[in-house]
Amino acid sequence: MSWKKIAKVTSLLIVLSVLNSCRVPCNIIIKKYFFTESGAVRPAKNKFKLGQNPYYLKESDHIKTDCVYQSCYRSYNSDEKIYLDCNNTNEGITFLRFFKNGRFLMTYLSPTERNLEHYNDLKIGYVGYYKIEDGILFLEYFSVNRYGMAADCGSFDQFRCEIHENSISSFSVGVTNDDESYDRKNTLTNNSYVKVKVEGLTGTPDW
């Protein structure tokens, strides 16, 4: 093999190695995610593990599709170590909304956005899949924030949660699909999400 061919092969291997490391603007070179019209991030390809065989909600499951599950910081009860109902607080909330076909939406809303229009907006927030097994709720969602937007390829993070009659509480730290361990802010860790009935919930997830 000539030196020119060796140089070309070596250059190609270096490029592939750099792309695989996900520390360069990989979304510019290899499309990993895109933005909705609302500015939310969505994966370019559905690589959810829980999406390979989507769960279908059963009548006996405690998760309800006519409710949202919401959490807010100031409603934290330090004695009972749980988050209480956020309806009486004038602050932003994080809410989970579940669909019968195994999908769920996780979104943060400011105080002025806490209304039916935003509960029904499926173009905002994080999207994912869920399943219920032996009374445990498994969640998997896509996010982009590891090394900063430009260099981040995105990750599919998984959590386990306990289902209660009127709430959901998470008790595990997320890991990526490839079991790679790293430090990051885990949105669901150590939170309790209280079930709140909402009239007029509509929409069909497209992820």
Side-chain angles (χ1 to χ4, degrees), residues 6 17 30 41 61 67 69 94 103 122 137 151 159 165 207:
I6 293 174
S17 177
I30 302 174
V41 178
D61 291 329
C67 300
Y69 295 78
T94 298
R103 279 77 166 171
L122 305 187
L137 174 66
F159 293 83
E165 183 176 355
W207 57 89

Side-chain angles (χ1 to χ4, degrees), residues 192-204:
S192 180
Y193 292 78
V194 178
K195 181 172 68 176
V196 178
K197 181 72 175 291
V198 178
E199 298 291 345
L201 288 178
T202 61
T204 302

Side-chain angles (χ1 to χ4, degrees), residues 64-191:
K64 303 301 177 185
T65 59
D66 58 351
C67 300
V68 297
Y69 295 78
Q70 60 186 30
S71 177
C72 52
Y73 177 75
R74 294 184 185 277
S75 65
Y76 183 69
N77 184 318
S78 58
D79 294 329
E80 298 183 23
K81 296 183 179 180
I82 61 173
Y83 285 79
L84 305 178
D85 193 338
C86 303
N87 285 335
N88 296 324
T89 62
N90 184 27
E91 63 178 78
I93 64 168
T94 298
F95 80 87
L96 307 175
R97 183 182 167 191
F98 296 89
F99 301 87
K100 290 184 177 181
N101 60 359
R103 279 77 166 171
F104 82 97
L105 175 74
M106 179 173 65
T107 302
Y108 172 82
L109 297 180
S110 69
T112 58
E113 294 173 330
R114 290 172 55 178
N115 52 52
L116 183 61
E117 177 185 357
H118 288 90
Y119 285 134
N120 284 332
D121 188 353
L122 305 187
K123 298 298 183 181
I124 59 178
Y126 299 93
V127 297
Y129 285 75
Y130 72 92
K131 73 173 181 178
I132 300 173
E133 190 174 276
D134 297 328
I136 300 298
L137 174 66
F138 295 85
L139 302 177
E140 180 183 15
Y141 74 95
F142 179 78
S143 65
V144 177
N145 62 2
R146 181 179 175 186
Y147 293 116
M149 190 64 73
D152 193 352
C153 293
S155 60
F156 296 82
D157 300 319
Q158 300 178 23
F159 293 83
R160 294 183 300 161
C161 301
E162 290 181 333
I163 305 174
H164 310 286
E165 183 176 355
N166 294 308
S167 65
I168 297 169
S169 60
S170 61
F171 61 87
S172 69
V173 176
V175 295
T176 59
N177 277 354
D178 57 7
D179 294 326
E180 182 182 0
S181 178
Y182 55 85
D183 294 328
R184 65 180 300 157
K185 180 180 179 181
N186 293 300
T187 307
L188 290 175
T189 303
N190 299 324
N191 276 2

